Amino acid sequence: MTTWNKRYAKRMDGVNSSIIRELLKLTQIPGIISFAGGLPAPEIFPTEICAEATVHLMKEQGQQALQYSTTEGYAPLRQFIADKLNKMGANLTVDNVRITSGSQQGLDLIGKIMVDPHDKILVERPSYLGALQAWQAYQADFISVPIDNDGIDVDKLEEALQSKPKFMYILPNFQNPAGVTLSLERRKKIVALSKQYDVPIIEDDPYGELRYEGEDLPPLIALDEDDSVMYLGTFSKTFAPGLRLGWVAGPESVIQKFTMAKQGADLHTSTFTQMLLYEIAKDGFLDEHRQLIRRVYKERRDIMLDSLEKHMPEGVTWTRPFGGLFLWVTLPETMQARDVFDRAIKNKVAFVPGYAFFPESDSGYTGHNSMRLNFSNAAPDKIEIGIERLGRAIRGS
Ligand SMILES: Cc1ncc(COP(=O)(O)O)c(C=O)c1O
């Protein structure tokens, strides 16, 4: 029999099965109210418009949509994305933009083109698990910098930059997992620090368009004048994740390297979904649809915040996100979110224990008493019931 396990590459040693994936299996139990995943609300997916646009696309451009296409991506869609970012203050052309198969692919390909074994990558603490996993596979070491309600702590960031990381990974809006937003002042400071220490920025912004209160803030790519930012975006949260459409935008030289890496990965992102999305987006449908998403998620966020107020015991705190899909709960120091998780599953409610979002190689910070709650997926009438169950699990029953 073939001994496969002797043949795996060294770089897979540090790659464990995702805790989230394991936990999500538990959330399949019937009757569970899940705040664990990061899923959009499927009942507002624009299925009708997709059906109509598919028929139209097949009739009008079917042969092109079903054919191989360029690694760079469908040019009209890339122009649409450049225009969208330019409205936020960036200065991009179609040549600065590449379509990816979800922004997760962008993270992986950034690892592929930039990370050598034991390179240091600076991340927020806590950070997006999918990025940590993607870069672990390239044998990265992580240094993490804490966040507070205004995003990453810029003084600690400056200290960490002394150790010369290869790049810094910043989640500016309604951060996954904690839901916090980087203030304008800190955005400007980060761009200045990037220049001062010559450390480029990977800006990951899947949630920026899902703001429920306050003013939009410029992305880092719009504040930067030195070609120091690679920006990752996605249609997963503003349209539908199943299409697997995201993008990277950045300096042309990096974008070209990126394209070579993508060619080896999948030749190109689905021609069909790129053309379908463009067909739907070109006359402004996404702007209209975004209003609906914002309305629905704001209501769910508000119900969750009110329910937490009602059902959480003394000593428990949580973030109050201005947008996005998540909030972050901190339990008293002496408590373990993992123990709460076991009781919560018995009570038929699920969440992700916070330790999943702390890089393992950056030991000492475990987030043992924190948890991430998603508020976009559960129906409004289930949210308060779920939070009441969670309150009981925290109290120990
Ligand atoms: C911060 C962040 N980046 C990237 C992704 C990946 O998104 P996708 O590959 O669907 O575009 C997610 C998904 O939840 C995310 O939260």
Side-chain angles (χ1 to χ4, degrees), residues 25 39 77 99 105 121 130 137 141 182 190 209 280 290:
K25 281 188 205 148
L39 307 183
L77 184 62
I99 306 297
Q105 184 185 43
I121 299 180
D141 289 339
L182 193 61
I190 291 172
E209 292 180 66
I280 292 169
R290 192 166 48 242

Side-chain angles (χ1 to χ4, degrees), residues 6 9 20 28 36 42 50 71 97 138 153 197 206 208 219 224 229 243 248 262 287 291 308 322 358 377 384:
K6 285 193 200 149
I20 293 203
Q28 307 297 319
C50 278
T71 309
V97 179
Y138 295 99
D153 178 327
Y197 290 90
D224 162 61
V229 180
L243 294 189
V248 292
K262 180 168 165 69
D287 295 334
Q291 303 310 323
L308 286 165
F322 300 141
F358 289 72
N377 188 249
E384 181 170 0

